[in-house]
Amino acid sequence: MNTQDLLDQIAFIKEIDKVKYIQRKTKLFNSDRCENDAEHSWHLALMAIVLAEHSNEPIDVLKVVKMVLIHDIVEIDAGDVFIYDTVKNHSNTDEERLAANRIFGLLPEKQKEEFIAIWEEFEAGETNEAKFAKSMDRLEPLLQNTSNNGGTWKEFGVKYDKVYEKKSVIKEGSKSIWNYAEGLINESVEKGILEK
């Protein structure tokens, strides 16, 4: 056993506990409480396992689970950027890159390289696994907002066009889930919880 590797891994485990304190804008299902990044990542991991059969292409489910569990760890340093933010773009930023290097850099070299590669693959969104992982990441807040009578859409004045644009990424990972999601979006307009 490499004692230094174990100590480095424990340091990483302690550091990522901070993910539990990163508050997201979206609230839990049928709730007024905002979810945190840890809850979000856990939910996406289970969603990926449960919904994997709906992927457009064959996927390595374990890799998808790894992606969704680590994709927001960088927010420990970089903070959470609301997907509908009108000032800061919700994409890979310099702050996130610095955070990835610092936080994953706590791990032994081989694990550091693996985690950074998985994080980069998710951010690029080009592989089958990344496309499906991003589908999960876009589906969960949609389900939350529809359960909360518009939730953050109403709270922040987000309109149909912006929701449709951001959620349409779902179809890259799963056309069948996108069909369901598109139906929810349109139903939300009909119910008056999303303004067109």
Side-chain angles (χ1 to χ4, degrees):
M1 178 182 88
N2 184 327
T3 304
Q4 188 55 54
D5 282 358
L6 176 60
L7 293 175
D8 291 345
Q9 290 161 333
I10 296 295
F12 173 79
I13 287 166
K14 288 179 177 179
E15 181 66 13
I16 64 168
D17 188 67
K18 294 175 182 174
V19 169
K20 298 172 186 174
Y21 296 96
I22 308 295
Q23 293 297 305
R24 296 169 49 82
K25 299 280 191 249
T26 313
K27 295 176 174 61
L28 301 174
F29 286 83
N30 302 305
S31 174
D32 289 334
R33 181 172 79 75
C34 291
E35 78 175 339
N36 65 49
D37 272 357
E39 292 167 326
H40 170 66
S41 297
W42 163 83
H43 208 180
L44 297 187
L46 277 174
M47 288 170 60
I49 293 166
V50 171
L51 299 173
E53 67 184 87
H54 301 285
S55 176
N56 290 339
E57 303 293 337
I59 52 171
D60 176 345
V61 177
L62 178 57
K63 190 173 196 182
V64 174
V65 168
K66 287 179 180 181
M67 281 182 187
V68 297
L69 286 175
I70 70 170
H71 79 291
D72 279 343
I73 286 176
V74 297
E75 293 183 0
I76 289 171
D77 290 355
D80 179 51
V81 177
F82 185 43
I83 194 165
Y84 301 113
D85 195 299
T86 56
V87 178
K88 191 169 185 179
N89 191 357
H90 190 269
S91 61
N92 191 6
T93 64
D94 292 338
E95 293 96 350
E96 288 178 335
R97 166 61 57 194
L98 290 170
N101 289 334
R102 183 191 75 77
I103 299 165
F104 299 135
L106 296 171
L107 289 164
E109 190 63 28
K110 187 175 178 185
Q111 282 185 317
K112 169 194 164 188
E113 290 172 5
E114 177 194 1
F115 279 45
I116 287 178
I118 289 169
W119 176 74
E120 288 173 338
E121 184 177 338
F122 174 84
E123 290 295 320
E126 295 172 356
T127 64
N128 294 338
E129 287 77 14
K131 289 174 184 175
F132 191 73
K134 283 187 174 284
S135 292
M136 299 298 96
D137 194 34
R138 297 294 168 92
L139 175 63
E140 191 220 21
L142 173 62
L143 297 174
Q144 290 167 320
N145 281 328
T146 56
S147 81
N148 287 317
N149 295 314
T152 55
W153 302 333
K154 279 189 167 181
E155 185 178 349
F156 297 99
V158 181
K159 305 281 191 277
Y160 168 88
D161 289 343
K162 188 56 82 174
V163 171
Y164 196 91
E165 173 198 336
K166 295 292 185 182
K167 300 305 176 185
S168 65
V169 169
I170 293 171
K171 69 182 160 206
E172 301 302 318
S174 174
K175 289 184 175 81
S176 59
I177 293 174
W178 168 242
N179 289 339
Y180 173 77
E182 188 177 30
L184 280 181
I185 294 168
N186 292 330
E187 194 178 291
S188 296
V189 172
E190 290 166 16
K191 287 180 177 177
I193 63 173
L194 177 61
E195 191 178 328
K196 198 154 190 180

